[in-house]
Every structure is written in structure tokens, then in C-alpha cells.
Amino acid sequence: MNAQELTGTARTLVAGDKGLLAMDESIPTCNKRFARLGIPQTEEARRAYRELIVTTPGLGECISGAILYDKTIRQRKKDGTPFVQVITDAGIIPGIKVDTGAKDMAGHPGEKITEGLEGLRGRLVEYSQRGARFAKWRAVIAVGDLLPSRGCIEANAHALARYAALCQEAGLVPVVEPEVLMDGGHTLKRCCEVTEEVLRTVFNQLYTQRVTLEGIILKPNMVLPGLTCPKQAAVDEVADATVRCLLRAVPAAVPGIAFLSGGQSGELASARLNAMNLRFKSRRPWALAFSFARAIQQPALEIWQGKEAHVLAAQQALVHRARCNRAARRGEYNAAMEGT
Ligand code: 5MM
């Protein structure tokens, strides 16, 4: 591991006002999103959609790194240019999702454990040779009356830490993603408690597994009430609850926090990120960035509909959301931007 290179890559990923684009949907997730819009669920449609994304003009002005899926890192444009080349030429750092999915956890009904540690050392070497400079692993934590269990939190935190240690050994920056899900009727306060417990456990495990905190990116959920909670929160409330929770649980050595969107609309995700950057400008030790999938891609996917004639309009929608999030990093996003 070259510690200087690792920390340099981690800092670059969250430098200035850029953020990450998650385009690492597995085949089943991608198919599910295509099916809802009547887009054919074929390998060529998935490839064409990823070509639309990586060739979007101006994307590199807003996006520092793109998280790819195993299939995507091997794919090419129609003209034969590898996607990794296209991304790199746009000034975007290629990354790769390396977990193999969240599976039902034995003895823990309603909970998941993320798999993928077996053979990971070898896969990381291959991804690095293909040009990846960072990686991503997502753990999923459900909230319910009796959830999450301590067993689920600890097992997922341990797996995240072992993944992160292997990434750093291979010279890849680990993006550590413990996602507390929005599903359910839990309150903002409950989400805050669960998120804090999860993050404290994750950082404890990262320490135990000797992970260099300066060379990671944290990708957490924002602190939000559950989707069916009758009391939803104002933008500023979410911003305050999220940053206060992070201040208690995330060491200052971490260079950046890049949020997942988790099913929020693009506008809300931008507004909440903006409020955090505005309200805590000089009161937080790490960069507050984004690593959104749906909150950047969804409008573009809806416009594209699998049609070649819609590619340009879809690319405009994609770069618009990316620009909104770049503005949110500076605390300069406002609803008027949505009219442009
Ligand atoms: C939580 O999902 C991650 C961020 O996406 P959103 O901003 O839409 O919440 C995302 O990177 C996710 O991990 C990938 O889409 C891969 O998902 P699957 O379930 O296909 O592995």
C-alpha cells in the first residue's frame, strides 16, 4: 500500500465541489428500474444506458469519481472505446462496486448481511489493473421495532472493515457504505440513534482492522424519518440531525463523507446536502459531498426510455442534477435552479 497515493486519491474524490456518481446497479436492480419504465431488460440496453451516462458532456465538471459494476468496467462504447477510458478522459476517477450483495442473515429474520469477502483480494488486483482507483461495499441496516440487532450491526461492520483493509492493501480507496434504510415508520430521532450506533461500530471495526482513516471515504445515509413516519422533517432539521450525528461518530481524520440518496427525490437530496454545507460551513472537519445513484440518474432514465432519439435530452437531465449537487456542495443550490 502506498499511503500517500491512497490519501491523495481519497482527497481528490471529495475535493472542491465535485462528488461521486454511483452507476453500479447490479443486473437485477438495473432490470427492475428498466422494467418500471418499459425499457427492454437486455445486456445491450444496459450497455447503451451506461454509454449515455459516461459520454454526457460536462459530466467531469461535477463528478470526481464514478462507481461501476463488474460488467460495466469491462464494457465499451459502440465505437469500441472502453468505458474506463471514456471516464478517465473526462477527468473522472473510475471506481468499482465489489460486494456481491446483501443476503438474508442466518438467525436474524428481516436483516441482511453483505457478502463478497471470498476471493476479494484477487478481484481487487484485477480491478486495479483495469484502472479502478477506488472501490465500494454497501451494508444494509433495516430499522423496525426490534431492529437492527446488535448481531447484524457487528457482522456488517466487521465485513466493511475487512473489505476496507483489503482495498487499502491493493491500493484502492475503500468507500465504506453502511446504509440505514428509509423504509418504515420510524422517527428522525430513531434514525439518528441507529445511524450513530452503526457508525460508531463501523469505526471501531475499521480501527481494529488497521484501516487508515485518511484513505477512506464514508458513504452514509442522511438522517431521515422513515418513509411512512407521519411526522416528516424540514430540510434544515434533516441537515442539523445528520451533521450532529456525524460529528459524534465520524473521526476528523476521514477526508470526506459522500452521502447516498436512498430513494429521496433529486431535488430533496440536493436541498438537504445544500443545507448541511450552508449551516455547518466552518463547523465540520470533513468534506460533505454526494455519491448518488437515483438522485442523479432517475430523471435521465425516465427521459431516455431506451430510445436513441432521447439520448441528448437525457444527458442534459443527468448533467443538470450533477450541477445542482455541485452547487449544493458550495451551499449555493436553490429551488430556482430547477427551472433552468
Ligand atoms: C444505496 O444505493 C447506493 C446509492 O444509490 P442511491 O443514491 O440511489 O441510494 C448505490 O450505489 C447502490 O449500492 C447501487 O445502486 C447498487 O445497488 P445493488 O442493490 O444493485 O447492489
Side-chain angles (χ1 to χ4, degrees), residues 194-211:
V194 172
T195 303
E196 183 177 341
E197 183 183 353
V198 168
L199 291 175
R200 283 182 185 277
T201 311
V202 167
F203 280 99
N204 191 27
Q205 282 291 331
L206 291 171
Y207 173 71
T208 308
Q209 298 302 324
R210 302 182 176 167
V211 173

Side-chain angles (χ1 to χ4, degrees), residues 22 24 26 29 97 136 138 177 179 219 261-262 292-294:
D24 61 322
S26 57
T29 303
K97 183 247 292 294
K136 195 209 82 170
R138 171 175 173 246
E177 181 180 6
E179 177 180 11
K219 176 167 172 169
S261 59
F292 299 154
R294 283 162 288 180

Side-chain angles (χ1 to χ4, degrees), residues 3-335:
Q4 223 174 345
E5 231 171 80
L6 262 184
T7 56
T9 304
R11 280 199 209 119
T12 306
L13 285 170
V14 291
D17 53 11
K18 294 187 188 180
L20 309 183
L21 169 64
M23 47 179 290
D24 61 322
E25 296 85 0
S26 57
I27 295 171
T29 303
C30 199
N31 283 348
K32 208 161 59 185
R33 297 197 180 145
F34 280 14
R36 264 187 224 131
L37 296 166
I39 301 168
Q41 295 130 65
T42 61
E43 180 160 349
E44 175 49 24
R46 290 188 296 271
R47 191 210 61 78
Y49 177 56
R50 265 67 187 252
E51 175 164 344
L52 176 160
I53 295 177
V54 300
T55 57
T56 294
L59 200 63
E61 291 159 23
C62 314
I63 300 298
S64 56
I67 310 171
L68 307 174
Y69 177 56
D70 178 77
K71 263 265 185 279
T72 323
I73 202 170
R74 301 164 199 279
Q75 282 174 327
R76 295 165 182 268
K77 273 172 59 180
K78 241 193 174 134
D79 71 7
T81 319
F83 283 170
V84 171
Q85 184 67 52
V86 180
I87 291 169
T88 311
D89 289 348
I92 298 171
I93 302 175
I96 179 80
K97 183 247 292 294
V98 299
D99 65 69
T100 54
K103 310 282 160 60
D104 289 342
M105 185 168 166
H108 291 73
E111 301 200 287
K112 304 266 184 200
I113 177 72
T114 301
E115 294 183 353
L117 286 173
E118 207 180 311
L120 181 57
R121 180 177 263 139
R123 286 194 291 131
L124 291 173
V125 171
E126 194 214 329
Y127 289 139
S128 168
Q129 283 163 353
R130 286 186 178 275
R133 285 174 54 204
F134 71 102
K136 195 209 82 170
W137 176 294
R138 171 175 173 246
V140 180
I141 307 291
V143 184
D145 288 344
L146 300 172
L147 304 183
S149 67
R150 200 54 215 157
C152 173
I153 295 175
E154 279 178 15
N156 275 294
H158 180 74
L160 274 168
R162 287 188 54 202
Y163 137 81
L166 282 164
C167 283
Q168 290 192 336
E169 178 191 84
L172 299 179
V173 170
V175 173
V176 174
E177 181 180 6
E179 177 180 11
V180 176
L181 294 174
M182 282 164 71
D183 306 284
H186 54 272
T187 60
L188 179 83
K189 184 166 171 280
R190 176 87 178 115
C191 179
C192 192
E193 286 163 4
V194 172
T195 303
E196 183 177 341
E197 183 183 353
V198 168
L199 291 175
R200 283 182 185 277
T201 311
V202 167
F203 280 99
N204 191 27
Q205 282 291 331
L206 291 171
Y207 173 71
T208 308
Q209 298 302 324
R210 302 182 176 167
V211 173
T212 304
L213 294 186
E214 290 82 351
I216 74 160
I217 300 294
L218 178 70
K219 176 167 172 169
N221 51 285
M222 295 183 191
V223 172
L224 301 167
L227 283 172
T228 56
C229 175
K231 191 175 178 302
Q232 289 297 311
V235 167
D236 288 352
E237 264 183 281
V238 168
D240 290 0
T242 303
V243 181
R244 286 193 184 128
C245 175
L246 294 169
L247 283 168
R248 285 195 292 267
V250 182
V254 173
I257 293 174
F259 292 100
L260 59 92
S261 59
Q264 303 173 65
S265 70
E267 287 87 346
L268 262 183
S270 298
R272 289 163 170 167
L273 178 63
N274 186 71
M276 289 182 222
N277 277 306
L278 201 58
R279 292 164 77 80
F280 292 86
K281 211 171 203 131
S282 54
R283 289 190 288 149
R284 32 99 183 166
W286 0 255
L288 288 174
F290 56 91
S291 177
F292 299 154
R294 283 162 288 180
I296 292 182
Q297 292 184 42
Q298 195 55 32
L301 185 59
E302 284 167 17
I303 291 169
W304 179 54
Q305 288 175 3
K307 300 190 172 100
E308 180 64 32
H310 295 187
V311 167
L312 281 182
Q315 289 180 326
Q316 280 165 7
L318 188 82
V319 81
H320 170 68
R321 287 257 55 85
R323 286 189 179 128
C324 287
N325 291 311
R326 187 173 64 157
R329 281 217 53 189
R330 297 192 301 266
E332 291 173 7
Y333 168 82
N334 58 62

